[in-house]
């Protein structure tokens, strides 16, 4: 079983809607001053990583984040990474939405939530996971198992991808946090995904780049899909 590429999930920086307590959805809200600073800081952490590809949601807040974080990159837009379609909920204050009958469903049983005139959360999760897994397989095939690539997306989208990687039901994904401009890292293998970082907003990311594989007899090393019994030695070992 061979090793595969490493996925970095970057959430966009804070927006005017985030700051005002609103649900932006697919509206063209932009980064506020804090969000621009967050994106720039994320770029400092990402600088120097050999990114094989950069993929983004089409929404402007993600594209602005990448313009500030990775100004030399030429991101590929993929509709599969777009925010959940919240339908008629978009643009409304969260404190108002919290009074809606659908709100407890979104909080406690999101796999059953279908937004009025919008998207089902289960459909959002399915297309997001399919998108990143397809890209991951393509990048591994084209650039090899040491490749690192980045996808810029949205909070609920990233949380859904993480839930899939952890093998937990979508109904538990509200327990996961993905802050603005945070980095989450996942490495898929033929047997299972590994969650390497979650909601990381500070610190060095260089340890996420896999070291070159040493030539060993196949029987002398565990399969890449195997977990490190006892916890392992950490990155770069």
């Amino acid at each position: 079983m061979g090793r595969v590429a490493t996925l970095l999930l970057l959430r966009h920086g804070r927006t005017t809607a985030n700051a005002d307590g609103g649900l932006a959805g697919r509206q063209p809200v932009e980064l506020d001053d804090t969000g621009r600073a967050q994106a720039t800081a994320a770029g400092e952490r990402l600088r120097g990583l050999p990114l094989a590809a950069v993929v983004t949601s089409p929404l402007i807040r993600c594209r602005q984040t990448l313009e500030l974080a990775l100004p030399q990159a030429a991101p590929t837009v993929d509709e599969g990474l777009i925010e959940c379609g919240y339908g008629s909920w978009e643009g409304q204050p969260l404190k108002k939405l919290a009074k809606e009958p659908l709100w407890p469903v979104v909080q406690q049983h999101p796999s059953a939530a279908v937004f009025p005139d919008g998207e089902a959360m289960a459909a959002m999760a399915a297309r997001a996971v399919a998108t990143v897994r397809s890209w991951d397989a393509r990048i591994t095939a084209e650039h090899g198992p040491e490749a690192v690539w980045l996808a810029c997306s949205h909070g609920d989208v990233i949380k859904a991808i993480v839930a899939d990687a952890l093998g937990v039901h979508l109904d538990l994904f509200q327990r996961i946090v993905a802050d603005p401009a945070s980095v989450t890292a996942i490495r898929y293998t033929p047997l299972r995904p590994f969650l390497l970082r979650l909601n990381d907003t500070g610190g060095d990311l260089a340890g996420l780049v896999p070291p070159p594989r040493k030539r060993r007899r196949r029987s002398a090393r565990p399969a890449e899909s195997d977990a490190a019994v006892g916890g392992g030695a950490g990155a770069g070992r």
Side-chain angles (χ1 to χ4, degrees):
M1 290 186 290
R3 202 160 65 186
V4 292
T6 301
L7 162 62
L8 305 183
L9 291 163
L10 174 66
R11 186 185 170 195
H12 61 78
R14 196 180 82 168
T15 67
T16 53
N18 296 145
D20 294 339
L23 183 64
R26 297 179 180 179
Q27 295 185 331
V29 299
E30 302 191 22
L31 303 184
D32 65 4
D33 289 341
T34 296
R36 287 189 284 271
Q38 290 171 336
T40 301
E44 292 295 324
R45 301 174 62 217
L46 294 165
R47 181 179 300 171
L49 294 186
L51 298 177
V54 177
V55 189
T56 183
S57 158
L59 297 181
I60 190 169
R61 54 191 183 269
C62 287
R63 292 186 284 110
Q64 287 178 332
T65 297
L66 291 177
E67 287 170 4
L68 291 166
L70 299 168
Q72 305 304 317
T76 300
V77 173
D78 194 316
E79 293 283 343
L81 295 174
I82 198 170
E83 178 65 286
C84 184
Y86 298 114
S88 62
W89 276 33
E90 292 186 1
Q92 298 197 48
L94 291 171
K95 61 182 180 181
K96 176 183 176 183
L97 295 173
K99 301 175 183 178
E100 293 287 336
L102 184 60
W103 184 267
V105 180
V106 172
Q107 294 297 318
Q108 301 171 32
H109 193 24
S111 65
V114 181
F115 293 98
D117 302 317
E119 187 177 23
M121 294 202 91
M124 174 274 290
R127 51 99 170 155
V129 170
T131 298
V132 297
R133 283 181 175 266
S134 175
W135 272 99
D136 199 73
R138 185 189 321 175
I139 289 166
T140 299
E142 293 178 0
H143 299 277
E146 284 78 37
V148 179
W149 67 285
L150 182 141
C152 186
S153 191
H154 309 270
D156 278 351
V157 174
I158 292 171
K159 287 163 57 178
I161 294 169
V162 170
D164 170 77
L166 291 174
V168 302
H169 198 280
L170 186 62
D171 286 347
L172 301 179
F173 99 133
Q174 298 293 23
R175 303 182 183 194
I176 299 166
V177 176
D179 288 326
S182 63
V183 174
T184 292
I186 298 171
R187 185 171 297 139
Y188 294 101
T189 76
L191 181 60
R192 61 168 66 90
F194 290 99
L195 180 63
L196 307 178
R197 299 278 180 97
L198 175 64
N199 194 38
D200 190 336
T201 56
D204 185 13
L205 297 174
L208 293 173
V209 180
R213 282 192 291 182
K214 298 178 181 178
R215 289 189 173 275
R216 300 178 186 171
R217 289 183 297 113
R218 181 177 297 274
S219 60
R221 66 170 185 262
E224 297 294 348
S225 296
D226 288 350
V229 177
R237 302 297 181 87

